[in-house]
Amino acid sequence: MVGGGQLARMTHEAGIPLGLRFKLLSDTPQDSAAQVVNDVVIGDYRDLATLRAFARGCDVITFDHEHVPIEHLRALEAEGIPVRPGPDALVHAQDKGVMRARLTALGAPCPRHRIVADPADAVAFAAEVGGLPVILKTVRGGYDGKGVWFVRSPEDAEEPFRAGVPVLAEEKVDFVRELAANVVRSPHGQAVAYPVVESRQVDGVCDTVIAPAPGLPDELAGEAQRLALRIAAELGVVGHLAVELFETPDGRILVNELAMRPHNSGHWTQDGAVTSQFANHVRAVLDLPLGDPRPREPWTVMCNVLGGDFPDMYPAYLHCMARDPRLKIHMYGKDVKPGRKVGHVNTYGDELDDVLARARHAADYLRGTITE
Amino acid sequence: MVGGGQLARMTHEAGIPLGLRFKLLSDTPQDSAAQVVNDVVIGDYRDLATLRAFARGCDVITFDHEHVPIEHLRALEAEGIPVRPGPDALVHAQDKGVMRARLTALGAPCPRHRIVADPADAVAFAAEVGGLPVILKTVRGGYDGKGVWFVRSPEDAEEPFRAGVPVLAEEKVDFVRELAANVVRSPHGQAVAYPVVESRQVDGVCDTVIAPAPGLPDELAGEAQRLALRIAAELGVVGHLAVELFETPDGRILVNELAMRPHNSGHWTQDGAVTSQFANHVRAVLDLPLGDPRPREPWTVMCNVLGGDFPDMYPAYLHCMARDPRLKIHMYGKDVKPGRKVGHVNTYGDELDDVLARARHAADYLRGTITE
């Protein structure tokens, strides 16, 4: 796996029972996954020679993030190294312009959008879709709200162009909530769909995920799952695909983003599904038969644990374990910095209010925003 | 953790979400746990200097097996290194003579037993308990049926004395089945009890575990749990304690063996309990609050996967995953040898017959004793 973040850490964890030999390419020995994996290569994923050396002895390469240059992946593939998901799929997760064009061609519902040339063109786009505000996104390099601008005025439209990367304009969608439809697809073409979840963001960062999305009509849930399965098949995705969606007030869904790797909206599956997204991602990239994606409990909730003002989270960690013996804590081995994702908690049970309150309390207590 | 077997492998897996730094002392780099842990020291656990060097930088030492010499553990403790479980507890898991004497002093129900001096004394013991057959055990070094002899004739009584280790004689108990009462205790004295399970052995090796033990009267289950909690407290156990029990035809329980580490009879907890034995063992040795030991499902079954005649288990592994997407496979990364424990499978659900059949099928198919 290329990339030493928490997704690689949790993928390794899920691979242990499968009897895997897991090899990691990590930026530093301190990275989240590098702390817990035996076979770690330290190196820069942007360097083809490093990737090539790393790939030696691997049966298949997969990714913790979407930042490996596509041309490097094509070079590895040309040398016979299986890369999953492959570059032809992954380009849609790397480049939002390519993604929007392809989804539109497939007839997948998207917000109105087009590539804009400069701030004036962005303002012109706004006029086409009913006026400001609109969303501008650099087509590459964004995550967790980075690379995304909420443009309220012509002046706001200038900043996104400063990076020198093409800029995609999208209408500001009036949505009632965000959903995620997560699926896993294997090279055989076997695919599984997890229940559609509700994803709540705070400041552009995933905060809470509720599985399944409360009150979502079966028909719309089925539509979202079918859409995600179709995107996975049409784009040739291998592994986990997260399709982030907007649910509109009139009961439609629109695709917001795609991610082709285990995804924050699927962390609930570690404790709430028969087979976790991490286990199924591994099974898919190795072309093993996929595991059952069904939920084990009526409700599962995930809350991210962000760093707060106190670098020492240990007393809070003790408190949360003692307060709720059913709490499932997942820490990433990262130093605490304000706003940094350092872990998540999962809770599950029969009553959504209770399950939500337990996860919320633990995440807030660990961050230090509450003290009782 | 000292020892690189599958128990260490699965303890590391359970420690990853807790944000632990896990350090391993392993005999070889190929050992089951050494394949998946980052911080591995290769060395001989029988050598005090090796243990001392390994312990440097550890907050606490725990064990994958019971074979570290007690005098070395006392030396480490004297140097201020926390050893959990400590030598005063662990001696009862290492020496069956010490265990029997202590349990008898506590009034814990045991088979009739005494240390026997020679084959003639063993025969004399048999006469005291109603005649042959009796069981002879070397007090140290046995596991998985090794170091245990079923003595049917005076001639059978000779072999056990050849190792030069004291020999314990025990009456042959007439039992209807074997049970295990598993508990976890922390230095704080917090303790949790898992449901009592039924453990089926084949040729002295654990074959199948059913959680909870079918048809066990609540009163007897409670008695077994209380007994295990009391043994853990009286012996000062820290971490997981497995109390292997005989259930007699007249509805009593007798202690067979003790193990102070995660135990084969607790593997079902990985998929069937809120908190696995491995997670709770780690929480206990670090004096963290313990997690909920309750079952998540009406029935969970574990079957060990033993090596069969075919060294390549991969086709069977594929088949089992495809046949049963709910199957939870746990492989240890070991080479397949006939009769060797190379993994286990867990299944769970509402109907015991179905759950048992699924686990049994997978274990038999992986071993190669069935082909459909």
Side-chain angles (χ1 to χ4, degrees):
Chain A
M1 193 170 225
V2 176
Q6 65 263 28
L7 300 177
R9 180 185 179 99
M10 294 185 280
T11 302
H12 173 54
E13 180 193 340
I16 291 173
L18 294 172
L20 294 190
R21 297 287 187 126
F22 190 90
K23 187 172 171 180
L24 184 75
L25 179 62
S26 182
D27 289 346
T28 80
Q30 288 76 43
D31 283 15
S32 178
Q35 297 170 21
V36 298
V37 170
N38 181 266
D39 192 356
V40 182
V41 174
I42 304 301
D44 186 344
Y45 61 82
R46 294 166 299 189
D47 176 60
L48 180 56
T50 299
L51 284 170
R52 196 178 271 140
F54 171 71
R56 217 167 286 142
C58 290
D59 292 310
V60 56
I61 305 285
T62 190
F63 311 95
D64 164 270
H65 58 65
E66 284 129 354
H67 307 315
V68 181
I70 288 289
E71 61 272 23
H72 291 357
L73 300 181
R74 292 200 197 284
L76 293 177
E77 264 203 338
E79 292 163 25
I81 297 159
V83 174
R84 296 176 182 162
D88 291 340
L90 210 53
V91 66
H92 299 92
Q94 282 198 357
D95 188 307
K96 298 181 205 298
V98 174
M99 181 268 281
R100 282 290 178 225
R102 182 68 184 274
L103 290 185
T104 302
L106 290 175
C110 292
R112 284 177 289 175
H113 61 273
R114 67 173 172 82
I115 298 290
V116 288
D118 53 37
D121 195 22
V123 172
F125 170 80
E128 294 162 21
V129 298
L132 291 168
V134 294
I135 311 295
L136 295 185
K137 300 175 173 179
T138 50
V139 296
R140 286 189 298 276
Y143 65 97
D144 278 356
K146 294 178 184 68
V148 178
W149 290 264
F150 188 75
V151 173
R152 291 182 184 77
S153 68
E155 295 72 46
D156 286 350
E158 288 173 18
E159 176 68 21
F161 291 90
R162 290 196 180 121
V165 175
V167 172
L168 177 73
E170 296 184 350
E171 67 172 321
K172 164 77 182 70
V173 174
D174 181 24
F175 61 88
V176 291
R177 59 177 168 176
E178 293 187 60
L179 303 171
N182 292 340
V183 298
V184 182
R185 184 176 173 276
S186 79
H188 258 74
Q190 190 191 8
V192 294
Y194 285 99
V196 176
V197 298
E198 175 176 335
S199 171
R200 297 180 182 171
Q201 321 288 317
V202 173
D203 300 332
V205 177
C206 178
D207 178 77
T208 302
V209 170
I210 304 172
L216 186 68
D218 284 351
E219 200 181 325
L220 199 56
E223 186 184 326
Q225 289 181 312
R226 284 189 299 274
L227 175 63
L229 289 168
R230 187 161 151 256
I231 292 170
E234 294 279 359
L235 271 49
V237 175
V238 170
H240 189 267
L241 169 71
V243 181
E244 296 183 83
L245 299 162
F246 296 120
E247 183 183 355
T248 65
D250 57 348
R252 290 176 305 126
I253 48 173
L254 300 173
V255 176
N256 180 18
E257 303 273 2
L258 301 183
M260 292 179 197
R261 49 170 171 75
H263 189 255
N264 206 159
S265 64
H267 289 0
W268 71 273
T269 60
Q270 292 175 304
D271 300 297
V274 176
T275 313
S276 81
Q277 64 163 348
F278 299 102
N280 262 338
H281 181 76
V282 164
R283 287 163 77 146
V285 301
L286 292 170
D287 206 9
L288 297 169
L290 301 180
D292 192 329
R294 278 178 293 185
R296 290 187 67 169
E297 308 286 340
W299 298 105
T300 304
V301 169
M302 189 260 2
C303 284
N304 276 327
V305 176
L306 304 185
D309 294 331
F310 306 99
D312 181 10
M313 208 175 259
Y314 188 71
Y317 171 86
L318 284 182
H319 173 85
C320 289
M321 281 193 204
R323 184 181 190 270
D324 184 356
R326 288 176 296 162
L327 183 71
K328 307 310 287 182
I329 298 186
H330 299 264
M331 301 303 292
Y332 304 154
K334 291 179 169 183
D335 290 337
V336 173
K337 292 178 190 168
R340 185 184 204 189
K341 282 184 194 172
V342 295
H344 68 272
V345 293
N346 286 334
T347 54
Y348 54 78
D350 296 335
E351 300 296 333
L352 178 56
D353 286 350
D354 171 64
V355 173
L356 199 46
R358 288 166 50 219
R360 182 77 269 146
H361 179 277
D364 289 346
Y365 198 99
L366 286 163
R367 188 175 189 173
T369 54
I370 58 172
T371 55
E372 65 174 20
Chain B
M1 193 169 224
V2 176
Q6 65 263 29
L7 300 177
R9 180 184 178 100
M10 295 186 278
T11 302
H12 173 54
E13 180 193 341
I16 292 173
L18 294 172
L20 294 191
R21 298 288 188 123
F22 190 91
K23 187 172 171 181
L24 183 75
L25 179 62
S26 182
D27 290 345
T28 81
Q30 288 76 42
D31 283 14
S32 178
Q35 298 171 19
V36 297
V37 171
N38 180 265
D39 191 356
V40 182
V41 174
I42 304 302
D44 185 344
Y45 62 82
R46 294 167 299 188
D47 177 60
L48 179 57
T50 299
L51 284 170
R52 196 178 269 140
F54 170 72
R56 218 167 283 142
C58 290
D59 292 310
V60 56
I61 306 286
T62 190
F63 311 94
D64 165 269
H65 58 66
E66 285 130 352
H67 308 315
V68 182
I70 288 289
E71 61 272 21
H72 291 356
L73 300 180
R74 292 199 197 284
L76 294 177
E77 263 203 339
E79 291 163 25
I81 297 158
V83 174
R84 293 174 183 163
D88 291 340
L90 210 53
V91 67
H92 300 92
Q94 281 200 358
D95 188 308
K96 297 183 206 297
V98 174
M99 182 269 279
R100 282 289 177 225
R102 182 67 183 275
L103 290 185
T104 302
L106 291 174
C110 293
R112 284 177 290 174
H113 61 273
R114 67 174 172 84
I115 297 289
V116 288
D118 53 38
D121 195 21
V123 173
F125 171 79
E128 295 161 22
V129 298
L132 291 168
V134 295
I135 311 295
L136 295 185
K137 299 175 174 179
T138 49
V139 297
R140 287 188 298 275
Y143 65 97
D144 277 356
K146 295 178 183 68
V148 177
W149 290 263
F150 188 75
V151 173
R152 290 181 185 79
S153 68
E155 296 71 46
D156 286 349
E158 287 173 20
E159 174 70 20
F161 292 90
R162 291 198 180 119
V165 175
V167 173
L168 178 73
E170 296 184 350
E171 66 173 321
K172 165 77 182 69
V173 173
D174 181 25
F175 61 89
V176 291
R177 59 177 168 176
E178 292 188 59
L179 304 171
N182 292 341
V183 299
V184 182
R185 183 175 172 275
S186 79
H188 258 74
Q190 191 192 6
V192 295
Y194 286 97
V196 176
V197 299
E198 176 176 334
S199 172
R200 297 181 183 170
Q201 322 288 316
V202 174
D203 300 331
V205 178
C206 177
D207 179 77
T208 301
V209 170
I210 305 172
L216 187 67
D218 284 352
E219 199 182 325
L220 199 56
E223 186 184 325
Q225 289 180 313
R226 284 189 300 274
L227 175 63
L229 289 168
R230 188 160 148 259
I231 293 171
E234 294 279 0
L235 271 48
V237 176
V238 171
H240 189 267
L241 169 70
V243 180
E244 296 183 83
L245 300 162
F246 296 120
E247 183 185 355
T248 65
D250 57 347
R252 291 176 303 127
I253 48 173
L254 299 174
V255 177
N256 180 17
E257 302 274 1
L258 301 183
M260 293 179 194
R261 49 167 171 76
H263 189 255
N264 206 158
S265 64
H267 290 358
W268 69 274
T269 60
Q270 292 175 304
D271 299 297
V274 176
T275 313
S276 80
Q277 64 163 349
F278 300 101
N280 262 337
H281 182 76
V282 164
R283 286 162 79 146
V285 301
L286 292 170
D287 207 8
L288 297 169
L290 302 181
D292 193 329
R294 278 178 291 187
R296 289 186 68 171
E297 308 287 339
W299 298 106
T300 304
V301 168
M302 189 262 358
C303 284
N304 277 327
V305 176
L306 303 186
D309 295 330
F310 306 101
D312 182 10
M313 208 175 260
Y314 188 71
Y317 171 85
L318 285 181
H319 172 85
C320 289
M321 282 193 202
R323 184 180 191 269
D324 184 357
R326 289 175 296 161
L327 183 70
K328 307 309 288 183
I329 298 187
H330 299 264
M331 300 304 292
Y332 305 155
K334 292 179 168 181
D335 289 339
V336 173
K337 293 179 191 170
R340 186 185 203 189
K341 282 185 194 171
V342 295
H344 67 272
V345 294
N346 287 332
T347 54
Y348 55 77
D350 296 335
E351 300 297 332
L352 178 56
D353 286 350
D354 171 64
V355 173
L356 199 46
R358 289 166 50 218
R360 182 76 271 145
H361 179 278
D364 288 346
Y365 199 98
L366 286 163
R367 189 174 188 174
T369 54
I370 58 172
T371 56
E372 62 174 22

